[in-house]
Amino acid sequence: MAAAPRMREQPRVERGMAARRGEEEKEEEKKEEEEGDGDSAGLRPRDQLSRRIKEQKVIIDELSNLKKNRKVYKQQPNSNIFFLADRTETLSQCKIVLDELKKAHQEMENSEKTKIKK
């Protein structure tokens, strides 16, 4: 009979940990909102660039793993309107953007290194 209460207690602990993780995420979101619009406004330029690089990598990964017959929609800048886009074209554009971001990040790191040496 002692085994039954343990089985009931274990899921409660997991839910409690998940709930705490959810609370931590909400606290982080609040901090980001307080710092700015929540879109890396309070970060240094290098950190903003790193975040954009990570986002772009995720986008490329998602587009790469889509089935061939899936539709892709692209959002118009500064609006909530989406238009149908070609998956392969969108993927190639995202790769180009990622390359540009990586190049800018590398240049920023190189300039910081030269400042340190001086």
Side-chain angles (χ1 to χ4, degrees), residues 6 19 37 42 48 56 58 64 66-67 76 81 89-90 92 95 102 106 112:
R6 287 184 186 167
D37 62 357
Q48 288 177 344
Q56 205 66 27
V58 170
S64 299
L66 281 178
K67 293 181 181 177
Q76 283 297 99
I81 300 172
E89 186 178 319
T90 306
S92 63
K95 287 181 179 179
K102 284 182 177 179
Q106 188 66 36
E112 287 179 0

Side-chain angles (χ1 to χ4, degrees), residues 77-107:
N78 302 322
S79 74
N80 291 329
I81 300 172
F82 292 83
F83 288 103
L84 186 63
D86 182 45
R87 186 186 64 83
T88 54
E89 186 178 319
T90 306
L91 180 61
S92 63
Q93 288 173 354
C94 289
K95 287 181 179 179
I96 291 169
V97 170
L98 178 63
D99 290 339
E100 292 170 356
L101 290 172
K102 284 182 177 179
K103 184 178 178 182
H105 188 265
Q106 188 66 36
E107 288 173 358

Side-chain angles (χ1 to χ4, degrees), residues 62-75:
E62 290 291 331
L63 287 171
S64 299
N65 291 321
L66 281 178
K67 293 181 181 177
K68 303 294 180 195
N69 62 348
R70 301 301 288 180
K71 295 185 179 191
V72 175
Y73 293 88
K74 195 167 184 178
Q75 185 176 10

